[in-house]
Amino acid sequence: MATGAQLIVQALERAGVEVCFGLPGVHNLALWEALRESPIRLVGRFVQHSAVDAGTAERGRDVGRDHEHG
């Protein structure tokens, strides 16, 4: 049986998500672990960097390759 985190990742994959930005923490470790087993690229750093990375990605630039998890 799939966990809630795995179901979320499956939904993201079906929606065509390629990159996910987030902040690691104990409240979302299960989701981060499920994303590590997914082709979705996970980018997570400090709060200040995540906002800039997400905005940069929205403008079509590649970000976070040197900070990928997984």
Side-chain angles (χ1 to χ4, degrees):
M1 180 180 287
T3 67
Q6 291 167 331
L7 293 172
I8 291 170
V9 171
Q10 290 171 10
L12 292 171
E13 290 173 353
R14 282 193 305 272
V17 172
E18 296 177 1
V19 180
C20 187
F21 295 89
L23 302 172
V26 296
H27 56 281
N28 62 358
L29 287 179
L31 181 57
W32 278 59
E33 185 62 32
L35 282 166
R36 283 176 22 116
E37 299 173 6
S38 165
I40 296 173
R41 207 161 46 104
L42 178 58
V43 179
R45 299 190 275 170
F46 301 106
V47 174
Q48 297 86 349
H49 292 126
S50 292
V52 171
D53 285 349
T56 301
E58 185 177 343
R59 290 188 296 277
R61 297 192 179 134
D62 191 23
V63 297
R65 288 249 181 232
D66 57 337
H67 297 283
E68 287 184 45
H69 297 274

